[in-house]
Amino acid sequence: MFSYSENDFYCEQVPLADLAARVGTPAYIYSSETILTNYRAYDQAFGALPHTVCYAVKANSSLAILGLLARTGAGFDIVSGGELFRVLEAGGDPAKVVFSGVGKTPDEVEYALTHGIHTFNCESEAELALIDAKAERLSLKAGFAIRVNPDVDAATHPYISTGLHQHKFGIAIQDAPAVYRRAQRYRNLAAEGVSCHIGSQILDPAPIFEALDKALALAAQLRAEGSPIRHLDLGGGLGVAYYEGESAPAIGPFIEKVQARLCASGLTVMVEPGRSIVGPAGVLLTRVLYRKRNGAKEFVIVDAAMNDLIRPSLYHAHHEIIPVRLSRLPRIKADVVGPVCESGDFLARDREMADAMPGDFLAICTAGAYGFVQSSNYNSRPRAPEVLVEGGSYRIIRKRETFEDLVRGETL
Ligand code: LLP
C-alpha cells in the first residue's frame, strides 16, 4: 500500500524518503501487503469452486516475491526454464505450475517434466509431439492443455494483444477438437485442460468472457466426446489503473462472475494473473539530477532511465510520477527523461507534474509489473536494487548491481 501521510509518501509504514537515503536511487520498492491482498482477491473470490491462481512469473520474478506468493499457496505460470528454476528456488510447488509459451525448447520440456509440473499449455502440434517423445524417454505421463486462439479482440496495446488469428499464439479454436483427437495417439500425453489468453492490460472484461464462453463450449464438446478434460485456464488477469482517476475493474467481482459461469461445469479453473497482483504493488524511486530548458521544452532529468523501466518507451505507457515529499510550488509541464543516450529515453512526456528540483525524489508509480524484469544494462548502467517493504520494516531483496557485475562472464 502506498499513500501520503502529512507531506511524505509512504510504502506501508516506511517513508520513501528514508528508503531513498538508505538504499540510493534508482530503486524498485514493493509493498508485500499489496501483493498479498491482490493475490487473495483472486483466490478468495473463487469460493468453493476448485481453482488454482497461477501467478504469471514474467510480471515480476524476484525470488522474494515468488517466495511470498508460494508461502500463500499460489501456483505459477512460467514461460521458460529459467522461470521454473526461480519458482523452485523460491519454494514453489511444481505440481501447481503451468508452462505457457509458443517456443518451448527440448531442454526446457525435459526440465519441466523431471520436476513434475502440472500442465504444458501447448501451442502447436509439433510441441505436443516433442513433449510426448520426451515424456516417453523419461517414462512419464505429461498433462497438457491446448492453448486455443479464440479470435477475440482484447482491445489493448497491439504488442500485448494475443487472441486474434493474426497473432503467433495458440491453435485456432475451430481446429482444436481435431488436434485433441489426434493427440490421443500419444501414449505419454494426458489431455488435462483447455487454456486461452487473449492479452494483457485488459480494462474491459467483456472480451475475456467472450473467450471464456468459447473455451467452455470447447471443453464441454471434448468431454462429450470422451476426453477427460479437467480444467479450464483463463490466462492472464485484469489490467490495472495507470492514470490517476482511471479505474480498473475490481478483481473480486470479476472472479465472482467467472465463478458463476463455471460453477456448474465440473471443471477446475485456473487463472494466470501477473500485472494485477504486482503492478500496483511497486514504484520506481528516482532522484532529480538536473533541470533544463531547450526552447519551449522543459526537462526534468532523473537518475532512472529506459533501461530501468522501458514501458514508456516501448508501449508509450503512462506511469504517474509523484513527489516523495509534497510541496506547495506551482506545477510544471515537462518531459521526465533519464541519462541514456537516445531520445527514446523518456519516462513521461509533456507531463503536468510537481516542480521537482535537483535532489528531490520522485516515485514512478504502478511499476511493480513488467518493470524490473524488463530492465537491462544498456549504456552499461548497473540494474537497480529491489526492496520489499513489510509493515514498518524493509529488506533489500536484490542488491544494486556493481561495475563488476556488469562484466561478469566476459573475457578480454
Ligand atoms: N498468461 C500468459 C500466457 C501471458 O502471455 C501473460 C502475459 C500472462 C498470463 C499475464 O498477463 P497479466 O495478468 O500480467 O495481464 N511487457 C508487457 C506485458 C506483456 C504481457 C505478456 N503476457 C507490458 O509491460 O505491458
Side-chain angles (χ1 to χ4, degrees):
M1 222 199 52
F2 293 90
S3 60
Y4 283 103
S5 171
E6 303 282 322
N7 288 328
D8 286 313
F9 192 52
Y10 280 71
C11 178
E12 303 189 16
Q13 288 135 47
V14 179
L16 264 72
D18 284 7
L19 283 177
R22 291 197 191 155
V23 302
T25 53
Y28 276 95
I29 315 293
Y30 307 119
S31 158
S32 55
E33 184 193 327
T34 305
I35 295 171
L36 292 176
T37 301
N38 291 336
Y39 168 77
R40 289 189 181 121
Y42 279 101
D43 190 38
Q44 288 168 1
F46 280 115
L49 183 70
H51 65 275
T52 312
V53 180
C54 294
Y55 166 70
V57 174
K58 65 171 83 66
N60 187 318
S61 56
S62 293
L63 287 182
I65 288 178
L66 300 182
L68 193 67
L69 289 164
R71 287 194 297 280
T72 316
F76 296 93
D77 166 49
I78 59 161
V79 289
S80 69
E83 287 192 349
L84 176 56
F85 177 75
R86 285 182 168 280
V87 168
L88 298 172
E89 287 285 297
D93 179 1
K96 289 187 187 171
V97 167
V98 297
F99 193 168
S100 302
V102 16
K104 302 173 190 78
T105 67
D107 284 352
E108 287 177 324
V109 167
E110 194 170 320
Y111 180 47
L113 281 170
T114 49
H115 285 283
I117 67 157
H118 188 276
T119 304
F120 290 86
N121 286 337
C122 293
E123 305 220 13
S124 65
E125 293 205 65
E127 185 189 328
L128 287 170
L130 169 73
I131 297 169
D132 178 64
K134 287 278 181 195
E136 185 180 0
R137 209 163 314 148
L138 296 164
S139 307
L140 296 169
K141 199 132 184 158
F144 78 92
I146 288 177
R147 173 171 174 182
V148 295
N149 183 323
D151 202 25
V152 166
D153 188 352
T156 182
H157 190 283
Y159 288 6
I160 54 174
S161 175
T162 54
L164 290 172
H165 284 165
Q166 73 213 47
H167 300 134
K168 69 178 175 182
F169 296 100
I171 289 178
I173 193 160
Q174 65 275 18
D175 299 338
V179 178
Y180 275 100
R181 244 171 268 136
R182 285 196 287 277
Q184 285 171 5
R185 70 174 187 268
Y186 293 124
R187 283 184 306 160
N188 294 76
L189 292 187
E192 283 281 341
V194 171
S195 78
C196 71
H197 167 77
I198 59 167
S200 192
Q201 183 51 13
I202 298 174
L203 289 176
D204 171 9
I208 303 183
F209 287 112
E210 199 184 328
L212 168 62
D213 289 343
K214 288 186 175 186
L216 196 53
L218 172 64
Q221 179 191 340
L222 294 171
R223 286 179 128 195
E225 289 174 9
S227 198
I229 297 295
R230 279 199 276 253
H231 78 252
L232 198 141
D233 181 340
L234 259 185
L238 291 168
V240 301
Y242 282 104
Y243 289 84
E244 199 186 311
E246 185 177 42
S247 66
I251 296 167
F254 164 71
I255 292 297
E256 279 160 21
K257 275 196 205 157
V258 171
Q259 191 267 357
R261 281 245 208 335
L262 285 170
C263 61
S265 70
L267 292 164
T268 293
V269 59
M270 291 187 173
V271 60
E272 307 165 356
R275 190 189 308 270
S276 47
I277 291 181
V278 289
V283 302
L284 174 58
L285 190 57
T286 187
R287 182 165 56 97
V288 179
L289 296 173
Y290 302 102
R291 284 283 297 271
K292 90 179 203 183
R293 208 178 169 82
N294 271 354
K297 244 185 151 35
E298 187 71 38
F299 291 95
V300 176
I301 302 170
V302 298
D303 64 359
M306 67 187 291
N307 76 295
D308 299 300
L309 180 66
I310 203 173
R311 303 195 70 258
S313 304
L314 191 57
Y315 316 108
H316 289 108
H318 179 101
H319 289 263
E320 290 292 335
I321 301 182
I322 59 175
V324 159
R325 189 156 281 154
L326 287 175
S327 77
R328 284 181 207 288
L329 289 173
R331 290 169 75 77
I332 55 164
K333 193 183 226 186
D335 282 16
V336 181
V337 300
V340 163
C341 292
E342 57 179 285
S343 300
D345 176 29
F346 57 86
L347 296 160
R349 280 188 154 160
D350 292 323
R351 180 67 60 84
E352 271 228 29
M353 59 180 291
D355 193 5
M357 288 300 172
D360 288 350
F361 296 114
L362 296 170
I364 304 171
C365 299
T366 328
Y370 308 110
F372 183 89
V373 282
Q374 296 195 109
S375 67
S376 76
N377 292 123
Y378 187 39
N379 278 207
S380 285
R381 289 168 50 82
R383 286 183 303 168
E386 295 178 286
V387 177
L388 186 64
V389 174
E390 294 173 294
S393 64
Y394 71 92
R395 37 193 190 111
I396 295 173
I397 57 169
R398 180 199 298 269
K399 288 190 204 158
R400 184 183 303 287
E401 286 181 342
T402 62
F403 289 165
E404 285 69 34
D405 291 329
L406 291 180
V407 294
R408 180 150 303 128
E410 291 187 41
T411 46
L412 197 59

